[in-house]
Amino acid sequence: MSHLHQDKKILNRVKRIQGQINAVEQSLADPNKSCIEVLQQVAAVRGAVNGLMNQLIEAHLKEHVIKDKDAINKEELKEFLALLSRYQ
């Protein structure tokens, strides 16, 4: 997936996730933070990572799996990606 290093959206998403992870680490070190607050932060990280996974899968499909760009059934691809996102 060497083409991914050029995708600014993906890199920005990873940087946001790094920030979220850092916030979780800081919350764990803060005795005043409740378990619920930490769990909410972790849930946000999980959602962000799932979104990243979906974006990477979509990029991989478009770049490496679908060879004939003109023969793509765009509706079926959209349905597949929606189905995939429901199971992550």
Side-chain angles (χ1 to χ4, degrees):
M1 284 196 184
S2 62
H3 60 92
L4 293 176
H5 74 278
Q6 298 172 351
D7 193 325
K8 297 262 189 243
K9 288 181 182 180
I10 290 175
L11 293 174
N12 287 337
R13 185 181 286 250
V14 169
K15 288 177 185 179
R16 283 193 304 275
I17 291 169
Q18 286 173 333
Q20 288 176 305
I21 292 290
N22 290 338
V24 169
E25 181 181 16
Q26 290 171 358
S27 292
L28 290 171
D30 184 350
N32 296 320
K33 291 287 183 181
S34 72
C35 293
I36 297 297
E37 290 174 298
V38 175
L39 287 168
Q40 287 174 331
Q41 287 178 307
V42 172
V45 170
R46 181 169 65 178
V49 169
N50 285 343
L52 174 63
M53 178 64 90
N54 289 339
Q55 194 172 6
L56 292 172
I57 289 170
E58 183 176 350
H60 175 71
L61 284 172
K62 289 179 177 177
E63 188 70 25
H64 299 287
V65 176
I66 301 169
K67 300 296 182 191
D68 185 0
K69 307 270 191 247
D70 295 327
I72 297 172
N73 181 333
K74 292 184 185 197
E75 189 59 35
E76 189 160 334
L77 177 60
K78 182 179 173 182
E79 287 178 30
F80 171 76
L81 293 173
L83 175 70
L84 188 62
S85 69
R86 279 183 256 161
Y87 290 101
Q88 292 187 355

